[in-house]
Amino acid sequence: MIDMSRPDIPPRIFCVGLNYKAHTQEMGNALPEQPVIFMKPTTSLVAVGEPLKLPKAQGSVHHEMELVVAIDKLGADIPVEVALGYVSGVTLGIDLTLRDLQSKLKQAGQPWELSKSFDGSAAIGKFIVWTAQSDIQNIDMRCSVNGKQRQQGNTREMLFPVAKIIAFLSRHWQLLPGDFIYTGTPSGVGPLVAGDRIEIESPQIGRFSWDAS
Ligand code: ZN
């Protein structure tokens, strides 16, 4: 888990669910009409080089590879046209999900937090500086487990692009410098077990890996 004394702990970690059509379909959900938002606490974060400890005896733990953006300015009611001006950095991360538990919670109409927001549920790569010159909606990414590819996607496949997500979030929360946004996962999610090595990679961002235990 991240050393909480470090200065780069974000104020909030926002996450978007069901933001890629193929993943939404593999989950058996209808396409959302507006972004599906949940949050993780800062104790969810697992930096590169830290152990990825999976919850035990709570059913399957799935990996969701995601583009993560960092916000660097205060902003409320941000117009979509200028929203990308609030992004300072991008990286890849993994939204770990207790899938069996999430299915039960969904069926019961209950919130997802127990399945999504546990300690150690948000692996985070190293941020690179993002400038408006590079196209945030054309980032390739791949996820492999023990050397076998599981997920592959491009941010152009997002149902709600990053600018729309930022505009939407800023209507409900004032965005704060340092906030992270996990922007949803492409299809191919699957189980991770102790002993697995997971690697996430983007030619535009870098490559990060963790050993699950
Ligand atoms: Zn996710």
Side-chain angles (χ1 to χ4, degrees):
M1 210 173 304
I2 266 179
D3 172 2
M4 297 304 287
S5 64
R6 276 167 37 170
D8 55 352
I9 297 299
R12 279 93 47 97
I13 304 165
F14 297 103
C15 304
V16 184
L18 309 173
N19 200 27
Y20 287 77
K21 188 175 178 186
H23 171 64
T24 304
Q25 288 170 337
E26 76 183 345
M27 290 291 102
N29 284 85
L31 294 183
E33 284 168 16
Q34 60 176 31
V36 175
I37 304 297
F38 58 96
M39 292 167 89
K40 290 177 186 262
T42 53
T43 51
S44 296
L45 290 172
V46 180
V48 173
E50 296 179 320
L52 192 65
K53 289 191 188 133
L54 307 178
K56 303 286 185 281
Q58 295 189 68
S60 64
V61 185
H62 276 198
H63 54 80
E64 297 189 354
M65 162 188 66
E66 313 203 354
L67 177 79
V68 184
V69 305
I71 298 293
D72 72 342
K73 288 195 285 238
L74 207 64
D77 296 318
I78 300 168
V80 69
E81 299 76 28
V82 299
L84 291 181
Y86 288 74
V87 175
S88 58
V90 298
T91 190
L92 295 178
I94 306 167
D95 164 17
L96 285 183
T97 304
L98 281 160
R99 190 68 72 199
D100 298 333
L101 181 54
Q102 187 195 26
S103 301
K104 280 185 203 153
L105 293 168
K106 277 181 178 173
Q107 276 170 16
Q110 292 178 3
W112 295 359
E113 270 79 357
L114 288 175
S115 64
K116 285 281 198 183
S117 309
F118 50 90
D119 285 349
S121 62
I124 187 83
K126 293 189 174 131
F127 281 91
I128 59 161
V129 173
W130 185 82
T131 58
Q133 280 82 14
S134 49
D135 186 356
I136 206 163
Q137 298 306 145
N138 188 13
I139 295 176
D140 287 308
M141 49 181 156
R142 266 191 309 221
C143 169
S144 63
V145 176
N146 304 328
K148 272 191 138 176
Q149 186 168 297
R150 293 270 187 91
Q151 294 190 265
Q152 188 269 328
N154 183 290
T155 55
R156 79 170 77 88
E157 299 152 13
M158 286 182 183
L159 296 173
F160 300 98
V162 175
K164 278 195 180 167
I165 294 168
I166 290 171
F168 180 82
L169 283 173
S170 76
R171 294 206 296 272
H172 297 271
W173 292 272
Q174 175 172 240
L175 295 187
L176 300 174
D179 281 343
F180 291 176
I181 307 170
Y182 281 65
T183 58
T185 192
S187 61
V189 300
L192 206 56
V193 297
D196 283 346
R197 159 160 282 226
I198 184 166
E199 190 169 81
I200 50 177
E201 179 182 4
S202 165
Q204 292 98 331
I205 295 172
R207 181 192 296 189
F208 313 106
S209 65
W210 288 266
D211 290 310
S213 61

